[in-house]
Amino acid sequence: GYAALTVQAHFDKLRPPPCQGLAISQTTQCHAADSGQAAILFTSLYLVAFGTSGVKAALPSLGADQFDERDPKRSSFFNWFLLSFTVGAIIGVTFIVWISTNQGWDWAFGVCTVAVLVSIMVLSMGKSLYRNNVPKGSPLLRIIQVFLVAIRNRKLPQPGIEDELHEVAGVHNEILPRTDQFRFLDRAAIEHTSDDGSTSVNLGPWRICTVTQVEETKIIIRMLPIILSTVFMNTCLAQLQTFTVQQSTTMNTHVLGIKMPGSSIPVIPLVFMFIFIPIYDCIFVPIARKITGIPTGIRYLQRIGVGLVLSTISMAVAGVVETRRKSVAREHGMVDSLQPLPMNVLWLGYQYSIFGLADMFTFVGLIQFFYEESSAGMKSLGTAISWCSSAFGYYLSSVVVDVVNKVSGGWLDNNNLNRDKLDYFYWLLAGMSVVNFSVYLVCASWYRYKKVEVIYKEENHAEGKQVEMLNAV
């Protein structure tokens, strides 16, 4: 994908002629891309998105799988994973932006292409060293089997005791005991009896499921309200990333004598995350661990909740800063001026830095929550689902803007940000974030952490036996 973008940015015939030196009102005179040029662009972007989705879904699980389940370093891995993610983003919004501005988009995409190629080489060099937990079968297929078998057995009486349900030791890496939530799915594990009263278990996976398989499905269902209640935070992030860049174009962007491009404004929250992630992992977690006795310091759902609160505060602060920016424009008679306001762009750092801390709590908390709570065969699926929160949040952001514009009569319809009601919009988002956090509290209180019976197999070399120990976790 990046290689195709590099080629298109380099050759003039593959893109429309540049449109420069025209006012905003004259941009309609620019030549649009033809169908072939648009096809190359969107194909490249979709390839990048497709590749990124695979990396984001598999990488957190692969890294966490390198640690034993009881190893406290596994919790730290997710924090350092976010730190490396942050470092990459800092390079992207500074170094890559500088290259695209001064050398051209072809050079910028070319650097990205080389970076991905180098990452593939580094990944391949360590392949023989990785602990790779290959799941048995497709997790999505197992979920579908549970629903279909439960529907097929819907007329059977609800099983009263767990002994009536089907379970096979050794099939799963861990055994999940039966829970009381979503009991209608338990019918998928009802053992069938023949006419002579004997139990028949020689049935295919489309006829009977194990209790662990049913519980895997229940875990995914229990997780869905959690991820849905974090979608709106990513909607706020999408709005913040969009409108903060627009705000920066109206302000003085000189910082320490250096003019900061508007597209580099996101470096502010990234720098805060770069500073506070090591502080959180090296100072806060050990202290909290001594107090709570929890290896991660605080539970995953608590960490997500803290992030949601901080995102709400960030939206409120954004409204205050925008009110201040508009008042400066009125005081200096620059409401319709294209000149930068006598207000430094670092004012936007308040809202951005708070949201960076919110992202630090919620991002890692959500990924770690889905990884730890997913069953042994669904780790990658769990982390993949956690990323869907960002995707749905960004889709929802467009809907929110359209709805608000229609209901409000055009708060964000003007091309002039100084005449828009962006401050009202931020406060609306803050109010909706409060409602969203209330919903999250209900979902988090309803959620039940999984209980696991892990089967550890140890080989006794002296006697040539295998000793199986059942350890309740």
Side-chain angles (χ1 to χ4, degrees), residues 8 12-17 32-42:
Q8 185 175 36
D12 296 338
K13 293 182 179 180
L14 298 180
R15 50 190 171 85
D34 59 36
S35 57
Q37 295 168 342
I40 295 174
L41 174 64
F42 285 106

Side-chain angles (χ1 to χ4, degrees), residues 11 21 31 55 90 195 197 217 250 316 397 408 423-424 446 454 457:
F11 293 101
H31 294 281
V55 174
I90 290 175
D195 295 336
T217 305
T250 69
S397 66
S408 65
D423 47 350
Y424 292 176
W446 171 79
V454 184
K457 292 185 178 180

Side-chain angles (χ1 to χ4, degrees), residues 206-268:
W206 297 98
R207 300 288 297 176
I208 187 171
C209 303
T210 64
V211 174
T212 296
Q213 188 177 346
V214 172
E215 291 303 320
E216 286 179 335
T217 305
K218 289 183 180 181
I219 288 174
I220 296 298
I221 297 175
R222 284 199 297 265
M223 287 178 171
L224 291 180
I226 301 297
I227 192 171
L228 290 176
S229 56
T230 60
V231 166
F232 192 75
M233 174 184 169
N234 288 289
T235 299
C236 295
L237 175 60
Q239 303 299 342
L240 202 63
Q241 289 177 332
T242 301
F243 288 112
T244 300
V245 172
Q246 293 186 25
Q247 288 173 290
S248 68
T249 60
T250 69
M251 304 171 72
N252 177 15
T253 58
H254 287 83
V255 179
L256 300 177
I258 301 175
K259 186 176 182 179
M260 179 184 295
S263 52
S264 294
I265 296 298
V267 76
I268 296 175

Side-chain angles (χ1 to χ4, degrees), residues 30 35 46 62 70 202 254 313 320 352-353 376 387 401-402 428:
C30 300
S35 57
Y46 286 135
L62 176 64
R70 301 292 185 87
N202 295 323
H254 287 83
I313 297 174
V320 174
Y352 242 158
S353 59
W387 287 104
V401 171
D402 290 339
L428 175 63

Side-chain angles (χ1 to χ4, degrees), residues 251-357:
M251 304 171 72
N252 177 15
T253 58
H254 287 83
V255 179
L256 300 177
I258 301 175
K259 186 176 182 179
M260 179 184 295
S263 52
S264 294
I265 296 298
V267 76
I268 296 175
L270 294 172
V271 169
F272 271 82
M273 293 171 67
F274 179 78
I275 295 172
F276 281 99
I277 291 172
I279 294 176
Y280 178 88
D281 188 75
C282 299
I283 299 177
F284 174 79
V285 172
I287 294 176
R289 185 185 297 139
K290 292 180 180 179
I291 298 174
T292 62
I294 301 173
T296 55
I298 57 177
R299 293 190 180 276
Y300 323 122
L301 294 179
Q302 292 173 335
R303 181 167 183 169
I304 296 172
V306 171
L308 293 179
V309 171
L310 289 174
S311 69
T312 304
I313 297 174
S314 175
M315 290 297 100
V317 171
V320 174
V321 172
E322 174 61 8
T323 301
R324 168 65 180 168
R325 191 194 65 81
K326 290 174 64 177
S327 66
V328 170
R330 288 193 300 267
E331 290 172 3
H332 292 80
M334 302 176 66
V335 173
D336 296 312
S337 174
L338 297 178
Q339 298 298 317
L341 301 175
M343 182 178 180
N344 197 274
V345 72
L346 290 181
W347 274 85
L348 302 176
Y350 291 110
Q351 62 209 49
Y352 242 158
S353 59
I354 297 174
F355 207 100
L357 296 178

Side-chain angles (χ1 to χ4, degrees), residues 116-154:
V116 175
L117 289 174
V118 171
S119 70
I120 293 174
M121 294 173 57
V122 174
L123 182 72
S124 301
M125 289 170 59
K127 183 179 178 181
S128 61
L129 305 175
Y130 300 142
R131 177 192 293 175
N132 190 17
N133 296 328
V134 181
K136 298 179 180 179
S138 168
L140 289 176
L141 196 62
R142 294 202 300 272
I143 294 173
I144 294 173
Q145 288 171 349
V146 169
F147 278 104
L148 291 181
V149 177
I151 293 173
R152 182 181 290 117
N153 297 340
R154 64 188 180 278

